[in-house]
Amino acid sequence: MSRSPHATARVALPIVLVVLLAIAAVAVGVLVQSFAPTARGEAIAPSTPASESGGPISPFDDDDPAIANLRPELRTALQQAAQAAAGAGFDLVVNSGWRTAEEQARLFEEAVVTYGSREKAARWVAPPETSSHVSGEAVDVGDLDASIWLGDNGRDFGLCRTYSNERWHFEFRAEAIGADCPEPYLDASDDPRLR
C-alpha cells in the first residue's frame, strides 16, 4: 500500500518545521551569547578591525601599523602573552590596536549616533585626543576565550584589563608583573586619565 503525496507531505512538514526551529534556536542562542551582558554586567561590543582587510590580526604582525605603532613595552608583553596563550590552547588575536586620530574620531562620532549623546558614547569610545589606542597604549583582543584567558593571566606579562565593561581592552602596567592588576575602571568615562 503506497502513501498519497498529501500523506507524505503531512508527515514531512512537521519534521521540516522541527529542523528549522532547531536551527533558529541555535542561531538565536549564538547571537544572545555574543551580545548579551556577561555575568558581571559587562557588555560585549564589537571592536574596530585591526587590519585593513577588516579582520583580526596576529600580535606578531609587526608590518601592520595596528601592531607596529603600539608602544614597544605593550607590543612585547602582548607577544609574550600570545605565546603563552598558544601553549595553553588559546589563539590570542588583535581586533584593534593602534589607531589614527582620524579613525578614532570617526569611531567616536559613530558611538555618539549609536548611544545618543557624547556622554554615553564616552563610556565605550574615547575621543581621539585622549584615546589610548591613538597613543599606542591599548589593544583590544579576541576571541572571547582568549580575552578571558588574558584577563586571568595578563598580569604575568603586565597586561591588565582597563575597563569593567570592555573585557577585550588591555593596557600595559609594569607594576602588575609579579603582583596584581589595578581594579579596572567602570568604563572609559570613569578613567581620570581621559579627562
Side-chain angles (χ1 to χ4, degrees):
M1 179 171 178
S2 69
R3 289 187 171 172
S4 73
H6 296 292
T8 302
R10 282 192 303 252
V11 171
L13 185 60
I15 293 171
V16 169
L17 288 175
V18 167
V19 170
L20 289 175
L21 286 173
I23 291 170
V26 169
V28 168
V30 168
L31 286 172
V32 167
Q33 187 176 22
S34 297
F35 294 104
T38 65
R40 290 180 279 212
E42 304 158 354
I44 299 174
S47 182
T48 302
S51 70
E52 291 177 11
S53 67
I57 59 172
S58 166
F60 303 99
D61 190 353
D62 291 331
D63 292 331
D64 192 302
I67 301 298
N69 291 333
L70 292 174
R71 295 276 174 118
E73 61 275 9
L74 171 59
R75 186 174 58 247
T76 299
L78 178 67
Q79 291 171 346
Q80 291 171 346
Q83 288 176 332
F90 297 97
D91 184 23
L92 186 64
V93 296
V94 175
N95 287 337
S96 188
W98 173 82
R99 299 176 189 150
T100 65
E102 295 77 20
E103 179 183 9
Q104 190 69 27
R106 180 186 56 77
L107 291 172
F108 183 72
E109 292 307 319
E110 287 175 2
V112 170
V113 171
T114 299
Y115 297 106
S117 73
R118 296 178 75 76
E119 294 75 28
K120 290 179 183 175
R123 292 189 61 224
W124 298 98
V125 181
E129 57 275 3
T130 60
S131 171
S132 52
H133 283 281
V134 172
S135 64
E137 298 174 291
V139 64
D140 293 346
V141 301
D143 68 22
L144 180 58
D145 290 337
S147 68
I148 291 170
W149 181 90
L150 191 59
D152 292 340
N153 298 282
R155 69 180 169 276
D156 296 340
F157 309 95
L159 295 172
C160 297
R161 192 166 53 119
T162 311
Y163 305 118
S164 293
N165 70 329
E166 295 185 27
R167 71 168 55 213
W168 54 85
H169 182 100
F170 289 85
E171 297 180 21
F172 181 75
R173 300 282 183 265
E175 67 276 9
I177 300 172
D180 279 326
C181 287
E183 260 321 291
Y185 299 107
L186 180 63
D187 57 47
S189 67
D190 188 43
D191 187 343
R193 303 169 307 158
L194 304 185
R195 295 186 188 131

